[in-house]
Amino acid sequence: MNTSIFEEQRKVPRTLSARALSQVKNNGALWAFFLLLLINILITPNFLQIQTLYVNLTQVATVAIVAIGMTLVIASGGIDLSVGALMALAGTIAPMIFLSDFAASSPALGLFLAIVVAIAVAGLAGLFNGYLISVYKIQPIIATLILFISGRGIAQVLTNGELQTFDNPSFEFIGTGRILGVPVQAIITIVLALSIAWVIKRSIYGRFLLAVGGNEKAAELAGVPAKKIKMITYMVCGLLAGIAGLISTAINSASDANQTGQLMELDAISAAIVGGVLLTGGKAPILGAVLGAAIIQLVGYTLLANGVHDAVAMVAKAVIIIVAVYLQQVKGAK
């Protein structure tokens, strides 16, 4: 009896340590985020100041919004390289409308149309991507490469390649405004993330999306409308890119077709991967994508705030992606 008691006592710490290790593995992104916070508190000057929080929220919001859309697309078994170009396109169209003569005579309606039309155009562009992929069976990386090139080109043609500057406090509010001290863009990000996370978890669309990403042929045999699900998914990704483009344009009080959304597709993919999305599809951790965007942002901020060159920050992001992919493969092997 005494021997069995001692054996049980030895099993308890082993069980606890195994559980703790499992928690670390399953919530690696969250632990990495807390570790980054701790490191910054210890070594980064003025990190705990409220202005530092605002700076990071401002820089992470657009990446997080696009990363949510990218997570949906990857969960469907695809990829979208056009999100940066769609940001530029939406950011170009909105000022053209609210700076027009029509908007001058009816500012409220002009601003409303500017926002709605810009987001709608980005959504239709995403739907175009989904149509090529689902109907014509074009590889996602090729299909979205079309708008990756032409989307930004269209935006540059619309503005003659010139910077559009403006002074419209109502529009700029979505990028620089605050509600009860919280940046509006952060509120938009949180609302979008929680809403889409709920849709993925509770709706038929969410179940169908994960089924298509997990095994498209099996999903189709089970009656899932795979083509429709893919088109909706790419459209939503386009809509989210359009929203991010408007926020970016509002922050800068200018529309720059050459720079808006530049390399955003890479940051969004990075955030989605760090957040836990499987490159093979079938999993859509929406809140994880937001957390991944925060980690990517914090890594860059930590290095730059401590005098490390921007090129090193880019290398650090690459290392994070490699580690995240490696951990996914390890989990998959088990």
Side-chain angles (χ1 to χ4, degrees):
M1 182 178 295
N2 291 337
T3 304
S4 62
I5 292 175
F6 288 133
E7 288 178 352
E8 290 297 325
Q9 288 177 340
R10 284 197 298 269
K11 288 180 182 178
V12 171
R14 288 178 183 175
T15 303
L16 291 175
S17 61
R19 288 178 180 177
L21 183 60
S22 176
Q23 286 295 319
V24 172
K25 288 181 178 179
N26 294 330
N27 300 282
L30 188 60
W31 286 106
F33 178 71
F34 286 135
L35 179 61
L36 280 169
L37 287 179
L38 179 60
I39 291 173
N40 275 286
I41 290 171
L42 295 175
I43 69 172
T44 303
N46 305 316
F47 181 73
L48 293 178
Q49 291 187 358
I50 193 67
Q51 188 59 35
T52 301
L53 175 63
Y54 286 147
V55 168
N56 280 288
L57 286 176
T58 299
Q59 294 179 352
V60 78
T62 52
V63 177
I65 291 172
V66 179
I68 293 171
M70 190 66 72
T71 297
L72 296 176
V73 167
I74 296 176
S76 74
I79 201 78
D80 191 344
L81 300 182
S82 68
V83 289
L86 298 187
M87 283 180 63
L89 186 59
T92 296
I93 290 174
M96 291 181 65
I97 295 176
F98 67 66
L99 292 175
S100 66
D101 294 336
F102 167 77
S105 60
S106 183
L109 180 58
L111 180 61
F112 174 77
L113 288 176
I115 294 173
V116 171
V117 171
I119 295 175
V121 168
L124 287 174
L127 183 61
F128 173 75
N129 285 333
Y131 185 80
L132 292 179
I133 292 165
S134 60
V135 175
Y136 289 102
K137 304 297 182 182
I138 300 175
Q139 288 293 325
I141 197 169
I142 301 300
T144 58
L145 189 63
I146 296 171
L147 280 175
F148 170 81
I149 299 170
S150 62
R152 191 174 299 278
I154 294 171
Q156 291 171 337
V157 169
L158 291 174
T159 59
N160 293 319
E162 298 177 356
L163 184 71
Q164 289 186 103
T165 59
F166 54 82
D167 181 15
N168 189 319
S170 298
F171 179 75
E172 293 166 22
F173 182 75
I174 65 174
T176 59
R178 296 177 185 176
I179 298 177
L180 299 177
V182 182
V184 171
Q185 56 184 296
I187 295 174
I188 293 173
T189 304
I190 293 170
V191 170
L192 288 173
L194 293 177
S195 300
I196 295 177
W198 183 88
V199 168
I200 295 300
K201 189 173 183 179
R202 299 294 183 181
S203 72
I204 294 175
Y205 165 76
R207 292 193 289 272
F208 282 178
L209 172 67
L210 300 184
V212 170
N215 190 323
E216 184 175 350
K217 290 184 178 180
E220 287 180 330
L221 291 173
V224 175
K227 292 181 180 179
K228 185 182 294 185
I229 293 299
K230 282 190 174 184
M231 286 193 285
I232 292 174
T233 301
Y234 280 89
M235 182 181 69
V236 172
C237 186
L239 291 171
L240 292 173
I243 294 171
L246 295 186
I247 292 174
S248 179
T249 301
I251 291 173
N252 298 317
S253 298
S255 170
D256 187 351
N258 300 309
Q259 295 298 322
T260 301
Q262 194 71 255
L263 299 180
M264 179 58 75
E265 51 280 336
L266 300 183
D267 285 340
I269 293 170
S270 303
I273 293 173
V274 172
V277 71
L278 298 177
L279 293 174
T280 52
K283 184 179 180 183
I286 302 301
L287 299 182
V290 177
L291 183 61
I295 291 172
I296 295 294
Q297 166 60 27
L298 268 180
V299 168
Y301 178 84
T302 303
L303 295 174
L304 294 176
N306 288 279
V308 180
H309 195 275
D310 186 49
V312 178
M314 296 181 69
V315 173
K317 291 180 182 179
V319 172
I320 291 174
I321 297 170
I322 293 171
V323 172
V325 172
Y326 172 74
L327 290 176
Q328 283 188 12
Q329 291 178 338
V330 170
K331 287 183 180 179
K334 291 180 181 180

